[in-house]
Amino acid sequence: MSGNRLDDIAPAFRAAVERWPDAANLQQHYRELVRAWEGEGSSVIELIKSFLECVCWTVLNELGAEGLASSTPTTTELLARVLDALGLRHQRGVGPLGRVISAHNRLAEALNEYRNQDGSVAHGRDGFLDAISNRYTRVYLLSADSVIALILSAYDGREPNLRTISRLE
């Protein structure tokens, strides 16, 4: 059903794999995410989080950015480092884009907490608990799509258009 296709709902994931066609790990994450999303797999939350982190690592490696303080950074730390490397963090002041970037930082932390608490294979999760509602999983997907779109726009040197960021225009 086209209404449930990952590429129709969250185009930034496809844009990332097209941006880096030779990034084997990113390509594999994408294939697994499509299978899980379109087939109602149980590890969608974990795959979304992993994909976002993979995009962050890819950008950091391509930019030759300096290492992170931690050898096992959180999603929030990775996003903050990518935004620093792209020149988006702490330089925009309190304008609309600055507020959106701040919100994306908070969103990354919330995604990390959500995954750890509610993901189907989250740390120590009881296998008999009910799965996360499809509605909340979709919110998680769209949130990550927005963050990835912001990263891709900035990486390509384009000022993100806050009204069309999810369409990657």
Side-chain angles (χ1 to χ4, degrees):
M1 167 171 72
S2 66
N4 196 40
R5 285 178 27 90
L6 180 69
D7 293 347
D8 295 336
I9 297 167
F13 290 89
R14 166 61 79 184
V17 297
E18 289 175 354
R19 174 77 177 75
W20 294 288
D22 297 327
N25 195 23
L26 194 62
Q27 300 295 322
Q28 181 63 32
H29 273 74
Y30 176 76
R31 286 190 299 274
E32 290 175 12
L33 179 56
V34 168
R35 263 193 303 273
W37 178 262
E38 295 177 7
E40 298 184 19
S42 63
S43 60
V44 172
I45 298 291
E46 290 77 14
L47 290 167
I48 292 168
K49 179 182 180 286
S50 293
F51 189 95
L52 174 59
E53 290 174 350
C54 192
V55 167
C56 290
W57 281 116
T58 301
V59 170
L60 289 172
N61 288 333
E62 281 201 353
L63 293 176
E66 295 177 16
L68 293 152
S70 170
S71 60
T72 57
T74 67
T75 306
T76 305
E77 291 168 336
L78 277 172
L79 179 60
R81 184 66 190 105
V82 166
L83 294 177
D84 281 340
L86 293 170
L88 288 177
R89 198 159 169 242
H90 303 302
Q91 294 183 2
R92 299 290 181 169
V94 294
L97 185 58
R99 284 192 292 273
V100 168
I101 290 168
S102 175
H104 277 85
N105 283 324
R106 288 190 312 274
L107 181 59
E109 184 61 34
L111 290 173
N112 196 42
E113 289 176 22
Y114 184 56
R115 179 262 180 222
N116 288 342
Q117 178 181 336
D118 295 325
S120 64
V121 292
H123 307 293
R125 179 147 172 92
D126 182 342
F128 293 101
L129 293 177
D130 292 335
I132 301 171
S133 132
N134 286 338
R135 177 178 293 142
Y136 294 119
T137 302
R138 188 178 186 101
V139 169
Y140 190 88
L141 175 77
L142 294 173
S143 299
D145 181 70
S146 177
V147 171
I148 293 166
L150 174 71
I151 291 169
L152 292 175
S153 292
Y155 187 75
D156 290 338
R158 292 179 285 125
E159 181 85 13
N161 181 334
L162 302 181
R163 292 184 309 153
T164 61
I165 197 164
S166 67
R167 292 191 312 236
L168 294 172
E169 292 180 352

